[in-house]
Amino acid sequence: MSSSTETAVHKEESSPSATPAGLLEVRNLGVWFDTPRGLVRAVDGVDLRVDAGQTLGLVGESGSGKSVLSRAIMKILAPSARVQPGSEILLNGVDLATVSPKRNKHLWGVDLSMVFQDPMTSLTPVLTIGQQLTETLRFHLGLDRRAAKAEAIRLLTLVGIPESARRFDEHPHHLSGGMRQRVTIALAIACSPKLLIADEPTTALDVTVQQQILDLLHDLQETANMGMILITHDLGVVAGRTDSVAVMYAGKVVEKGPTRQLFSHMRHPYTRALMDAIPRLMHPSHTHLPSIPGRPPTIIDPPPGCSFAPRCPSAQARCHTESPNLEIVPDSPEHAAACFYPLGTKDVI
Ligand SMILES: Nc1ncnc2c1ncn2[C@@H]1O[C@H](COP(=O)(O)OP(=O)(O)OP(=O)(O)O)[C@@H](O)[C@H]1O
Ligand code: SF4
Ligand SMILES: [Mg+2]
């Protein structure tokens, strides 16, 4: 992570001229699914920004829309997904919605890349891991067979795979879950993407390997100025490894801002509920997202009002009828929260 906490996920700040375009700008993104049970608003009016060389941490309970958001950016949504009119995803100023499928294939790996929650999603069972890596390297970087093999083995070593030359010829099912995840990370970073989305990249790995992988991703950011969206349930990782944070609840971003500012001056009761449920947030250990008391949110045909209202200790009558917008926190132009009655607490950690 950059030591600076100045660059953030803000879009709402008042002076556009002072803010050059970000590497990634997501504007008013909506992704809905028609299901037999009703309309699922998996992502509902999300605005985000990621700058080159910076890491945005994306947190929220299971089902809050983190993976659907990531898949929308990668343009790999399920066929039943409906991206809502007015949604924009700009990568270096180019609206990905307008990119042809052919050009899109060239963007993947080089401009944007993703480490999936489930390693098998990005690995082909019938090909050896060497074949999968060299195919990517030859297609995107134009390496010849010999150079691609050398580079693939280097990448496998880089992500901590022992005896990488031997592993090169193995199929994914010969590897443990942790090893498979390292291969997917090698694949994702093979072409030094400008933007990497890492969806719980280290969940299957032990603490030591997790640190190694996060260090590796950090080094890549430094050398290649790579932007990253890091989705994790580990709040220690969020605290120690991100420049900015976006908190998602029921498909919406309910709070976002520079990491240090958000953790020390959180405004949204949901963010506080996440933090309160663990004893010492700033300890950079495996501090997983806790479960929050109360009913999980309804995202199928949700009732009016703030989606957190049924669980919120600060809820008042208005919260059950109106939905709050994400608004800039006074005197903190990069910090925004969606709450009618934001917390004024300081130093809550
Ligand atoms: N193909 C689909 N059809 C219908 N609903 C879907 C589909 N994919 C995702 N959803 C719904 O969208 C919502 C958001 O799912 P998503 O996978 O993005 O959650 P998440 O925040 O990544 O959760 P987790 O932390 O468990 O990975 C969930 O309610 C999920 O059931
Ligand atoms: S708007 Fe109301 S219910 Fe929603 S988080 Fe704020 S206080 Fe709680
Ligand atoms: Mg997910």
Side-chain angles (χ1 to χ4, degrees):
M1 152 181 130
S2 158
S3 57
S4 166
T5 55
E6 296 302 311
T7 309
V9 288
H10 54 101
K11 166 180 175 287
E12 292 84 355
E13 65 269 56
S14 52
S15 171
S17 59
T19 312
L23 169 66
L24 175 78
E25 295 199 20
V26 173
R27 297 179 186 158
N28 193 30
L29 177 64
V31 182
W32 299 1
F33 296 93
D34 283 312
T35 72
R37 291 184 298 144
L39 185 65
V40 173
R41 298 184 184 207
V43 174
D44 197 7
V46 164
D47 293 319
L48 288 176
R49 174 188 170 112
V50 183
D51 288 334
Q54 300 279 300
T55 298
L56 164 67
L58 198 55
V59 297
E61 285 169 293
S62 190
S64 56
K66 306 180 297 295
S67 293
V68 172
L69 170 63
S70 309
R71 288 178 162 271
I73 296 167
M74 293 294 293
K75 290 181 75 174
I76 50 169
L77 286 165
S80 58
R82 285 197 282 124
V83 177
Q84 296 305 293
S87 301
E88 281 186 307
I89 300 172
L90 305 176
L91 187 70
N92 275 329
V94 175
D95 186 353
L96 295 182
T98 64
V99 172
S100 68
K102 191 173 171 199
R103 172 132 185 258
N104 213 37
K105 212 174 162 199
H106 288 272
L107 289 181
W108 287 335
V110 179
D111 286 275
L112 70 168
S113 191
M114 181 161 172
V115 179
F116 292 86
Q117 243 175 323
D118 170 11
M120 287 314 279
T121 310
S122 46
L123 295 176
T124 310
V126 293
L127 297 179
T128 66
I129 59 173
Q131 285 169 323
Q132 298 184 53
L133 271 165
T134 52
E135 208 170 79
T136 297
L137 292 163
R138 296 188 72 188
F139 178 80
H140 288 298
L141 303 185
L143 299 185
D144 65 28
R145 193 178 298 275
R146 183 191 289 256
K149 179 169 183 178
E151 178 61 7
I153 292 172
R154 187 188 76 82
L155 283 163
L156 291 173
T157 307
L158 194 68
V159 295
I161 297 206
E163 301 180 79
S164 50
R166 184 173 65 77
R167 298 286 188 172
F168 181 87
D169 290 316
E170 291 189 349
H171 288 83
H173 64 266
H174 287 129
L175 305 178
S176 67
M179 286 292 166
R180 281 201 288 262
Q181 188 60 306
R182 293 189 213 196
V183 174
T184 67
I185 291 165
L187 265 171
I189 63 173
C191 306
S192 301
K194 295 186 179 72
L195 175 76
L196 178 72
I197 303 176
D199 194 351
E200 301 192 38
T202 55
T203 307
L205 308 176
D206 67 41
V207 182
T208 312
V209 179
Q210 176 185 17
Q211 296 302 329
Q212 286 167 1
I213 295 289
L214 292 172
D215 287 345
L216 172 68
L217 293 176
H218 176 242
D219 290 347
L220 270 172
Q221 282 195 290
E222 299 253 293
T223 52
N225 208 24
M226 181 177 81
M228 184 155 68
I229 297 178
L230 181 60
I231 301 173
T232 175
H233 282 186
D234 189 328
L235 291 170
V237 169
V238 177
R241 300 275 183 173
T242 66
D243 300 285
S244 55
V245 185
V247 180
M248 285 191 77
Y249 189 80
K252 294 181 195 279
V253 171
V254 295
E255 184 159 15
K256 63 183 178 179
T259 303
R260 206 168 294 174
Q261 159 80 15
L262 186 137
F263 277 15
S264 59
H265 295 83
M266 61 195 65
R267 306 286 287 188
H268 200 282
Y270 176 63
T271 311
R272 185 152 85 181
L274 285 178
M275 307 304 174
D276 278 356
I278 53 169
R280 302 287 293 274
L281 174 66
M282 296 305 284
H283 281 185
S285 59
H286 265 4
T287 315
H288 289 276
L289 273 190
S291 53
I292 307 297
R295 271 184 293 145
T298 312
I299 57 168
I300 299 177
D301 300 326
C306 172
S307 50
F308 190 52
R311 304 163 88 183
C312 181
S314 312
Q316 301 189 34
R318 181 185 183 192
C319 306
H320 296 282
T321 54
E322 291 176 53
S323 181
N325 293 322
L326 199 58
E327 287 179 2
I328 293 292
V329 171
D331 302 325
S332 302
E334 297 181 355
H335 186 182
C339 177
F340 293 127
Y341 308 103
L343 307 168
T345 320
K346 294 192 190 305
D347 304 318
V348 290
I349 295 168

